[in-house]
Amino acid sequence: MNKFPNMDSLQINNQTFQIFIPEPEILARIAQLAHILQTDYQNTRPLFLAVLNGSFMFASDLLKCLHIECEIQFVKLSSYQGMQSTGKVSELIGLNQSIANRDIIILEDIIDSGLTMHELLQSVQKLQPKSIEVCALLLKPEALKVPLQIKYVGFEVGNEFLLGYGLDYDGLGRNLRHIFKL
Ligand code: IMP
Ligand code: MG
């Protein structure tokens, strides 16, 4: 890992990453998102479902900017081989309360192919919330493989690999305060 966090580039596992979205820009955009959410969810006490691991920084900074009543739960989509021959099964884990009749906002770090979000939406839908919307810090529109309605997006980006501010490369870099690009 780079010993000089203020530099414009860093190396992780022999890959060089350049700074792409600096922290002040990330935080300014998050404040705008929070402002919009605050208007849309006044008096509804929304429940945020923050998808681990990538969304932890985004969720933290976004919720600090929100001045409405709200709740948050951290969830994960765990993939495992099913007992049946059908192969991959995903299970929503971490949700320990009923979400029936609640207004749900899923917080995700980045949407790439959209397959993860597609599965997550199906799992959440089954629990019969009143409404579901997605708030993603980053979206790669050209990479989408399934149609998705993402109402709240921080930044639309190209098909590049990003790192930092929650996003990892081989488990590293989640702690970086800026978003870097390969
Ligand atoms: P999807 O199912 O292809 O949309 O992938 C979503 C997940 O892949 C995200 O939640 C991230 O964990 C990971 N991911 C996608 N693109 C990137 C990237 O550029 N950097 C780091 N992780 C990524
Ligand atoms: Mg993720």
Side-chain angles (χ1 to χ4, degrees):
M1 291 284 282
N2 200 298
K3 289 181 190 144
F4 308 102
N6 291 324
M7 280 170 57
D8 286 350
S9 70
L10 57 82
Q11 288 231 328
I12 292 183
N13 287 352
N14 290 325
Q15 300 284 350
T16 305
F17 291 85
Q18 307 285 341
I19 205 158
F20 181 51
I21 312 175
E23 183 184 35
E25 249 179 73
I26 300 171
L27 296 180
R29 181 64 187 135
I30 287 176
Q32 288 176 341
L33 284 176
H35 188 78
I36 297 166
L37 287 167
Q38 205 156 273
T39 312
D40 292 356
Y41 288 90
Q42 252 171 22
N43 308 316
T44 71
R45 196 189 284 188
L47 171 61
F48 288 93
L49 299 184
V51 184
L52 289 173
N53 294 320
S55 75
F56 77 101
M57 270 196 198
F58 175 41
S60 167
D61 285 331
L62 181 75
L63 264 72
K64 280 187 264 180
C65 295
L66 270 183
H67 307 293
I68 52 168
E69 274 192 10
C70 62
E71 294 175 47
I72 184 165
Q73 284 270 313
F74 288 87
V75 298
K76 208 164 192 170
L77 207 54
S78 82
S79 273
Y80 59 95
Q81 285 310 115
M83 301 295 281
Q84 273 87 26
S85 56
T86 44
K88 218 188 87 188
V89 182
S90 297
E91 188 194 5
L92 179 65
I93 56 175
L95 197 56
N96 57 11
Q97 68 185 93
S98 165
I99 63 165
N101 269 318
R102 297 295 303 269
D103 290 301
I104 302 299
I105 304 159
I106 299 177
L107 296 181
E108 179 64 299
D109 52 353
I110 187 163
I111 295 173
D112 190 299
S113 70
L115 294 170
T116 309
M117 187 52 68
H118 183 73
E119 280 192 48
L120 189 60
L121 283 168
Q122 285 185 329
S123 301
V124 175
Q125 199 96 54
K126 283 186 196 140
L127 305 172
Q128 300 185 312
K130 186 167 156 200
S131 69
I132 313 178
E133 296 294 351
V134 177
C135 178
L137 179 63
L138 299 151
L139 172 69
K140 298 181 183 173
E142 293 151 31
L144 278 180
K145 289 193 178 134
V146 281
L148 278 182
Q149 279 277 62
I150 314 295
K151 187 163 181 186
Y152 307 99
V153 176
F155 302 92
E156 289 196 354
V157 296
N159 270 347
E160 48 241 336
F161 188 82
L162 304 179
L163 168 91
Y165 198 76
L167 297 161
D168 75 303
Y169 171 58
D170 271 356
L172 296 174
R174 292 194 195 277
N175 56 315
L176 297 166
R177 55 180 63 235
H178 313 292
I179 294 172
F180 290 79
K181 121 173 146 178
L182 185 66

